[in-house]
Amino acid sequence: MIRVGIIGGAGYTAGELIRLLVNHPLAEIAFVHSTSNAGNRLAQVHGGLEGDTGMLFCDAYDLGAIDVLFLCSAHGQSRVWMEENTIPAGVKIIDLAQDFRDESCGFVYGLPELNRERIRRAERVANPGCFATAIQLALLPLAAAGLLQDEVHVTAVTGSTGAGVKPSATTHFSWRSDNISVYKAFTHQHLLEIGRNLRLLEPSFDREVNFVPMRGDFTRGILASVYTACPLDGEAASKLYADFYAPSAFTRVTERDVDLKQVVNTNKALLHTAKYGGKLHVVSVIDNLLKGASGQAVQNMNLMFGLDEKEGLRLKASAF
């Protein structure tokens, strides 16, 4: 049984992580830390856990009592926490913030479709960003084949949970409902990890990834529409993607159009490719809280401990 600790347990990603781990047959949660909620039941903050666990949030914890620690605090806080705490030998770490996605401090970038074997051997894993996951999955086969030869154009829309649990003007229901907007055009922070990994696969790639993110009128999910010049015909491109993702546990290429309802509440990523003249269009869909965050974190935990990659993640999308 894998003994698990969670730091920063009150946010959306932590709530999804707890839900997955409570139902994971080979994991047991030892503690969930939250200073502001210490003494409260987990289900008081994460209502979906009502009836599943009677655990309380804590403000003190024993790192020697766990096998793996998930860091779910805000961006920038993981590095601070690491500097202030001594990690016992043998305790593995999975960080869901952006602090170590540059693979500093011994962390491995935790995108299984890119680094599966390295993750298996890792002691520390930096979970990818949600937009970065969807966009990289749309581009990795081209980069691996040396076929990224021109600028890449991305428009991607995310649900309101992507902004986190803390309320703001652009997450308020009255503003978000029946609305859509662009934010951080061409400057989104996930461009750093996207560019870094594409160049690792294709060192000669020196063109722009033009990314326009959008806020959608829904709670969860990401749809990324990606296109770039490609010399392959449609059939060859589809085969390239299908072959690349054949070993993947959750990423699949489909001949039909893809949409969010096929992946929301699952750890799946679905891709659809189509050729238009000299351009290849790839549509990538994921659940931002699962394959884009907590589900991928559990997938990485499974790899790190030599388990079946799908353990605890055999989730089904709703029919409606």
Side-chain angles (χ1 to χ4, degrees):
M1 190 66 71
I2 302 170
R3 298 166 299 169
V4 177
I6 298 172
I7 300 293
Y12 287 139
T13 56
E16 285 294 88
L17 180 62
I18 295 164
R19 178 173 71 90
L20 294 172
L21 293 172
V22 163
N23 293 288
H24 195 296
L26 298 174
E28 180 179 20
I29 301 176
F31 64 80
V32 179
H33 173 262
S34 171
T35 302
S36 60
N37 288 284
N40 294 331
R41 293 188 305 116
L42 302 187
Q44 289 177 258
V45 173
H46 305 298
L49 296 174
E50 194 67 60
D52 293 333
T53 176
M55 284 191 69
L56 307 180
F57 289 101
C58 66
D59 59 1
Y61 44 83
D62 179 8
L63 296 177
I66 60 172
D67 302 304
V68 61
L69 182 69
F70 290 89
L71 299 177
C72 298
S73 298
H75 298 309
Q77 294 303 305
S78 296
R79 191 173 290 274
V80 172
W81 188 92
M82 292 282 291
E83 291 171 352
E84 293 178 347
N85 290 269
T86 300
I87 314 301
V91 174
K92 300 179 188 295
I93 298 174
I94 300 173
D95 180 27
L96 280 79
Q98 67 185 17
D99 299 34
F100 301 104
R101 291 174 187 163
D102 60 356
E103 297 203 327
S104 59
C105 300
F107 279 79
V108 170
Y109 188 74
L111 185 61
E113 291 80 1
L114 177 67
N115 286 329
R116 179 173 286 100
E117 295 309 313
R118 293 181 63 211
I119 294 167
R120 290 188 197 277
R121 302 188 299 270
E123 294 296 312
R124 299 178 176 183
V125 165
N127 225 52
C130 52
F131 271 132
T133 295
I135 295 167
Q136 286 178 99
L137 292 178
L139 294 172
L140 290 181
L142 292 177
L147 292 174
L148 281 179
Q149 302 168 354
D150 204 345
E151 290 192 353
V152 176
H153 302 274
V154 182
T155 302
V157 58
T158 186
S160 57
T161 53
V165 71
K166 187 176 181 179
S168 69
T170 56
T171 59
H172 191 284
F173 177 81
S174 297
W175 186 88
R176 193 104 181 195
S177 182
D178 300 320
N179 201 5
I180 191 167
S181 64
V182 170
Y183 73 110
K184 296 183 180 178
F186 306 104
T187 63
H188 197 280
Q189 65 271 17
H190 289 181
L191 282 167
L192 292 174
E193 58 193 277
I194 293 168
R196 183 184 303 115
N197 290 314
L198 292 179
R199 285 187 290 272
L200 284 174
L201 288 178
E202 187 177 351
S204 63
F205 178 61
D206 60 357
R207 309 303 294 270
E208 293 289 333
V209 177
N210 300 296
F211 175 31
V212 179
M214 304 181 76
R215 305 179 183 95
D217 176 23
F218 51 91
T219 57
R220 57 196 297 166
I222 287 175
L223 185 148
S225 173
V226 182
Y227 71 89
T228 189
C230 178
L232 301 179
D233 63 27
E235 183 177 350
S238 179
K239 185 178 188 305
L240 173 71
Y241 275 71
D243 289 348
F244 186 88
Y245 289 117
S248 298
F250 294 102
T251 300
R252 292 289 178 267
V253 182
T254 175
E255 293 182 0
R256 63 168 288 185
D257 290 336
V258 295
D259 58 70
L260 288 183
K261 286 193 174 183
Q262 294 170 285
V263 299
V264 166
N265 295 316
T266 81
N267 201 52
K268 292 189 297 185
L270 293 181
L271 304 171
H272 173 72
T273 65
K275 195 72 188 294
Y276 297 94
K279 297 180 177 63
L280 181 67
H281 182 222
V282 185
V283 180
S284 170
V285 288
I286 64 170
D287 185 311
N288 61 296
L289 292 180
L290 289 170
K291 183 59 176 168
S294 303
Q296 189 148 252
V298 172
Q299 184 181 357
N300 284 326
M301 181 192 78
N302 289 339
L303 286 169
M304 295 168 80
F305 285 89
L307 305 180
D308 182 335
E309 210 164 331
K310 295 184 177 182
E311 198 69 70
L313 292 169
R314 294 177 175 87
L315 310 169
K316 304 299 182 185
S318 172
F320 302 102

